Amino acid sequence: MPRKVTLADVSRAAEVGVATVSRALGDHPDVSEATRQRVRAVARSLGYRPSATARALRTGEYRAISVIVPDAGWGWWEPVVRAAFKAAAEVGYYLMAHPVAGTKGGAAAIVEALANVPTDGVIVIGVPDQDGVREACDRIALPAIAIDDTSRTVRFPTISAQNREGARLAVEHLISLGRRSIALLRPNIGVETDNWGDGLFIDHRTLGYRDALDSAGIAFDESLIIDCTDPFNETRKHWRELEAELSTGVRIDAMFCAADTMAAAALRTLRAHGLKVPEDVSIVGFDDERAAILVDPQLTTIRQPYEEMGCYAVELLLRKIQGEHVDIRRYEFVTELVRRSSTDEPERLAKPEAQRNDPKPVGVQQA
Amino acid sequence: MPRKVTLADVSRAAEVGVATVSRALGDHPDVSEATRQRVRAVARSLGYRPSATARALRTGEYRAISVIVPDAGWGWWEPVVRAAFKAAAEVGYYLMAHPVAGTKGGAAAIVEALANVPTDGVIVIGVPDQDGVREACDRIALPAIAIDDTSRTVRFPTISAQNREGARLAVEHLISLGRRSIALLRPNIGVETDNWGDGLFIDHRTLGYRDALDSAGIAFDESLIIDCTDPFNETRKHWRELEAELSTGVRIDAMFCAADTMAAAALRTLRAHGLKVPEDVSIVGFDDERAAILVDPQLTTIRQPYEEMGCYAVELLLRKIQGEHVDIRRYEFVTELVRRSSTDEPERLAKPEAQRNDPKPVGVQQA
DNA sequence: TTGTAAGCGTTATCAG
DNA sequence: CTGATAACGCTTACAA
């Protein structure tokens, strides 16, 4: 391992002062073009790399930001992080990812540990306990942005998707297919799964479901709401609650599945009850997450613009770091319907099912 | 934002020298218990946080390591990173994740950029081009470990799973079920997908497939090997090559799917051809990746011990950082069979299929 | 046991 | 335009 080349080395080799080297390598105006060229050449030939540490110590900024990545929920945040990474890199910041990974104390504890990490700010993803994290951030004076739709109390600029409007899109699509008995499969947020906080997004998606029914003049039927226990455990084969519902003999012709990750088990349960998707039951999910394309049939779903959300988080965070004021409120992103096989038109398919309305065309986007 | 509290502040408040404060806060022996207590109390009350930067500048080590996370292949590396993060944290290191995320120049370029990042070493995951990365690491004198089974040339200590032995396990399991016409569904590594390098792991898994056939005295049938184009694109609904194969009228009663991520489309294709899994065709995958539990039926597969691999990578890297010698060779981890529904015993199922041998019991592990 | 002081590699502020 | 030089906050000889 060759010893590290420092500014002093370059300065000696180029026969100029260290200050000049620093200026030449940076974008300072007060250097003659000739010296700049020469210094740069020497620096390159010596294999000089600036020490980020020394620079950070001097300037007080690390040009690095952190993102705290949640423990549960199977990696929907991955595209968010990739996008954030890219956005940060574009403005010369690098991004560190800190998985929660079962850490005791959750995100707040991680922020606490960030005290020792050279970082200028943090993006917290999926944080139901914004109060705790906020306190930790204040204590170490660390700017923060949240990407989250679980917490009712917003103590950071918080980015999320329009859950209510998205859910409405989903259910309107089902209605446009002529479906009328539309079940809502929801995660049942119990005390044990506190990773999902107040379950705000579930409430909102439920409201969107009702919005769509109301607009179409379809009566809301409480019994069509199915809350599933242990909802984000993907090793589950079936949803007991859905099984119970189907066993009562209720007929459903569509299902809005409030999270894509629940779709795999839902499809298995339907199949086990002899129901075909999309012939007998049309399904729309929510998130446009990896699960949506792995299941069979592939899932029509509501896309959350994860990439945009990641980029915007970085943008807001950098503004905060630069001392600009950023409103503490929710920043919501528009969702869109992505059509796949789980809602192929019933009338085009073999099964001659009851079909009362003409499907009205809706403004959907092809996957 | 309160100005940052430094050692000097604490020293003043506690009425001792800075050196004493430093010693008291660290684990130095040469401090009286009384002063230590007092200093710590003062530090806490002032909200003192050490500056990682200053410390790094002084000591020359960051106590941070990086992991370069691949672009393709749908997040199988996630458990690796989580485990590595945890292992690093346990010894007081923190871990930064650097997604490749379409960066031009791939991992090598990322390593290059690491020159400006405060990190003591790097774990590169899934790097077919070890030569390029090696060169970059040398240039900036950065210790590195690879987790990878795609590259034939090993220029780092390289961690991987026992692909050949794992594949053998998979196929032996199929044979123990009485299956004899066992197709091998493989990724076709073309020039366009250079993320998968030499495709070493595919060769090894193929060898394991043949090992199992040989031991059982089953003739190898070239036509049962199916190479799929664009293999890691999960949006694909079907494998054209598998369709072609089935259309020729060849009868297969089992399939070894050389990567779990390919299973979803394979299942759809089989289903489209009227073949039931596991009644008509038993399937075993490889990786025990998220896809294995999302598909229907859930996939019997070969588990790669991702967590152990992540931990071990950290262990080796820290050794290298501490100047210890670590052999540049492959470090292989044992795999295991995880049984799920895709290989439920055919004879217990409805379909009365041809069945010649008693299934021999094998030492498998329940999921 | 404690304090003083010398750096670590930069950048910024001065004079020249 | 350029060169000394003083920080930045910490650890660690060395001295007391």
Side-chain angles (χ1 to χ4, degrees), chain A residues 281-303:
Chain A
V281 179
S282 306
I283 303 191
V284 179
F286 202 111
D287 288 338
D288 197 17
E289 205 259 354
R290 185 181 179 200
I293 57 164
L294 285 177
V295 296
D296 186 20
Q298 293 186 323
L299 212 59
T300 293
T301 190
I302 301 299
R303 184 179 117 80

Side-chain angles (χ1 to χ4, degrees), chain B residues 13 37 39 56 98 268 353:
Chain B
Q37 297 298 341
V39 169
H98 307 263
R268 281 187 213 108
E353 264 292 275

Side-chain angles (χ1 to χ4, degrees), chain B residues 131-259:
Chain B
D131 284 307
V133 175
R134 175 73 210 208
E135 209 178 299
C137 285
D138 284 348
R139 198 156 37 234
I140 64 175
L142 196 66
I145 302 287
I147 299 182
D148 181 70
D149 57 6
T150 65
S151 176
R152 226 167 282 268
T153 53
V154 166
R155 316 279 270 104
F156 301 100
T158 298
I159 292 169
S160 67
Q162 288 192 334
N163 285 301
R164 181 169 186 167
E165 294 76 358
R168 183 186 179 128
L169 275 182
V171 178
E172 280 176 348
H173 176 54
L174 291 170
I175 294 171
S176 81
L177 257 26
R179 302 308 201 180
R180 288 298 176 272
S181 302
I182 304 171
L184 168 58
L185 196 75
R186 297 192 304 190
N188 186 7
I189 305 292
V191 272
E192 75 278 20
T193 48
D194 54 17
N195 323 51
W196 300 96
D198 289 335
L200 182 66
F201 70 108
I202 301 168
D203 287 359
H204 283 173
R205 291 178 193 178
T206 304
L207 286 172
Y209 166 81
R210 298 200 58 163
D211 289 344
L213 294 185
D214 288 351
S215 299
I218 300 175
F220 170 68
D221 179 353
E222 181 96 44
S223 76
L224 289 178
I225 297 210
I226 304 164
D227 290 307
C228 298
T229 311
D230 195 15
F232 300 113
N233 173 1
E234 289 192 330
T235 64
R236 297 198 76 100
K237 287 189 184 170
H238 294 285
W239 298 118
R240 216 174 313 133
E241 293 84 354
L242 177 58
E243 264 168 348
E245 177 83 5
L246 294 173
S247 303
T248 65
V250 190
R251 287 184 47 81
I252 64 168
D253 56 18
M255 188 163 82
F256 170 40
C257 187

Side-chain angles (χ1 to χ4, degrees), chain B residues 7 19 22 48 51 55 58:
Chain B
L7 258 198
S22 174
Y48 168 74
S51 150
R55 181 177 292 163
R58 178 60 235 235

Side-chain angles (χ1 to χ4, degrees), chain B residues 249-300:
Chain B
V250 190
R251 287 184 47 81
I252 64 168
D253 56 18
M255 188 163 82
F256 170 40
C257 187
D260 286 351
T261 51
M262 299 177 66
L267 284 165
R268 281 187 213 108
T269 305
L270 290 173
R271 193 168 286 149
H273 279 258
L275 292 167
K276 285 187 167 168
V277 178
E279 292 87 341
D280 304 324
V281 179
S282 308
I283 302 191
V284 179
F286 202 110
D287 289 338
D288 198 17
E289 205 258 356
R290 186 182 177 198
I293 56 165
L294 284 178
V295 296
D296 185 21
Q298 293 186 322
L299 212 60
T300 294

